[in-house]
Amino acid sequence: METPYATPNSSPDSGVILEADQLLLDKAASGLSLINLAILVNICSVVLMYAVSPLLGLLALVGLVMALVGIIRVGVGTKAGTLMTVFYVLLMFVPYLNILILLAVNSRASNHLKKHGYKVGLVGAKKPS
């Protein structure tokens, strides 16, 4: 017989997700979609910078802001740790390496969300029904 005063179980295997955990997962999912868009903006800005005009390289600043916000949201949502999140944020300021870092963070966030039942796609992640 279970006691009604027991602490709720929120492990991924139990199928029960607490509201606070759900808010963190939602934050990670929104950060993942920002990271995906930042990757697209960064790649497009590099291509446009060399193909059309060097001024279009300023579009990379938009991608940088999106990447920074996305990394922070994913770091908080996946409980990655402050030191790792700060390390990723600092690496965003290194040209061309930032796209590789975004892909690594994207992979970690995707795996974390898949483990918790989210369906991860190209644009972002959907909540489990």
Side-chain angles (χ1 to χ4, degrees):
M1 181 168 166
E2 288 187 32
T3 175
Y5 304 109
T7 308
N9 186 5
S10 66
S11 68
D13 299 331
S14 69
V16 177
I17 298 177
L18 298 177
E19 188 174 337
D21 291 337
Q22 185 64 46
L23 290 174
L24 288 175
L25 290 171
D26 290 344
K27 188 170 283 209
S30 68
L32 179 66
S33 63
L34 276 174
I35 287 175
N36 288 341
L37 289 173
I39 292 171
L40 179 66
V41 168
N42 278 329
I43 291 173
C44 289
S45 70
V46 169
V47 170
L48 290 174
M49 182 175 63
Y50 289 116
V52 179
S53 169
L55 282 176
L56 289 174
L58 294 175
L59 185 61
L61 293 176
V62 174
L64 176 66
V65 171
M66 291 169 58
L68 293 175
V69 172
I71 286 174
I72 292 170
R73 290 182 74 83
V74 165
V76 169
T78 60
K79 300 178 186 173
T82 306
L83 188 61
M84 187 61 89
T85 304
V86 168
F87 181 67
Y88 285 149
V89 166
L90 290 176
L91 287 176
M92 282 296 100
F93 295 99
V94 179
Y96 302 110
L97 181 64
N98 59 1
I99 294 175
L100 296 175
I101 297 301
L102 285 175
L103 290 173
V105 173
N106 181 0
S107 175
R108 283 184 166 206
S110 296
N111 289 336
H112 182 77
L113 290 170
K114 283 179 186 176
K115 186 172 70 174
H116 289 287
Y118 276 67
K119 293 186 182 194
V120 179
L122 183 61
V123 182
K126 291 184 181 181
K127 283 185 184 181
S129 53

